[in-house]
Amino acid sequence: MIAGHFGFAAAVKASQTRIPLWTLMLATVWLDVVFAPLLAFKVETLDPLPGTDGGYGEAVIHADYTHSLVGSLVLAAIFGAVAAWRLGRRAGLILGGVVFSHWVLDLVVHRMDLPLLPGNAGDLPKLGFGLWRVPAASVAVEVLLMAIGFGLYWRAAARVDAKRARTAGIAMVLSGIVTIVADLAFTS
């Protein structure tokens, strides 16, 4: 869902022109940025589903801290507070919301592996609608999010500078093609 997250960030950028694009892109994957070192230190883990190689959507993700509902809200609040300090209150609120959007988008594709509380405290039921079980549908949703986000971003950029918007449009189409090919490679 990485490309889908980036598509969402691009859509936000279309209406929030004062927020640097790089901060939106970082915000949208912040949960995964924090997840990476926890994965490296085996605090959080990935378990391939039986009979798979653990590719795109073929793993149970035990991200019980970074991808718990409460954990993602805490990480969003921290990111938003730092952003507010550097970029202003409004940008901080928006960027915190973009961080939390990661959890909402993951809820759609993840299997039931998203805990409510950090560390799955209380052993409550985990959430996830499981769109990854239908790889073609999850790729379609991801591509759609990316296309809508990039389209909105391109349209906003074209209002400011048509020549630069054409260049950005070409880059977006190429990145979209690469993402689709990569997603298809991981799902086959």
Side-chain angles (χ1 to χ4, degrees):
M1 178 54 81
I2 293 295
H5 292 305
F6 287 140
F8 181 79
V12 173
K13 176 62 178 172
S15 67
Q16 302 300 321
T17 58
R18 293 179 185 228
I19 299 176
L21 181 60
W22 71 268
T23 60
L24 289 161
M25 294 298 179
L26 180 60
T28 201
V29 294
W30 187 245
L31 300 184
D32 290 338
V33 169
V34 177
F35 170 75
L38 294 178
L39 178 65
F41 287 108
K42 299 188 186 328
V43 174
E44 296 186 335
T45 60
L46 293 170
D47 293 330
L49 291 171
T52 72
D53 61 2
Y56 179 83
E58 295 179 336
V60 175
I61 302 169
H62 300 286
D64 292 343
Y65 297 96
T66 57
H67 286 66
S68 69
L69 174 62
V70 172
S72 65
L73 286 168
V74 168
L75 289 171
I78 292 168
F79 193 98
V82 171
W85 170 58
R86 300 297 295 166
L87 301 171
R89 183 176 182 269
R90 178 175 167 78
L93 289 171
I94 291 166
L95 287 164
V98 170
V99 170
F100 184 67
S101 77
H102 184 108
W103 190 88
V104 175
L105 292 173
D106 276 3
L107 178 65
V108 174
V109 296
H110 275 239
R111 289 170 173 76
M112 295 181 75
D113 60 10
L114 297 171
L116 295 171
L117 300 174
N120 198 28
D123 200 28
L124 299 170
K126 294 183 177 185
L127 304 174
F129 300 150
L131 190 61
W132 274 341
R133 289 186 177 103
V134 185
S138 66
V139 169
V141 167
E142 189 162 5
V143 168
L144 182 65
L145 274 170
M146 189 178 61
I148 290 169
F150 287 179
L152 291 170
Y153 177 77
W154 179 82
R155 189 176 71 182
R159 281 185 248 140
V160 176
D161 185 339
K163 184 177 179 183
R164 290 178 80 185
R166 278 191 299 275
T167 304
I170 292 168
M172 286 185 281
V173 167
L174 292 175
S175 68
I177 291 168
V178 167
T179 301
I180 292 167
V181 169
D183 277 347
L184 292 175
F186 283 118
T187 57
S188 51

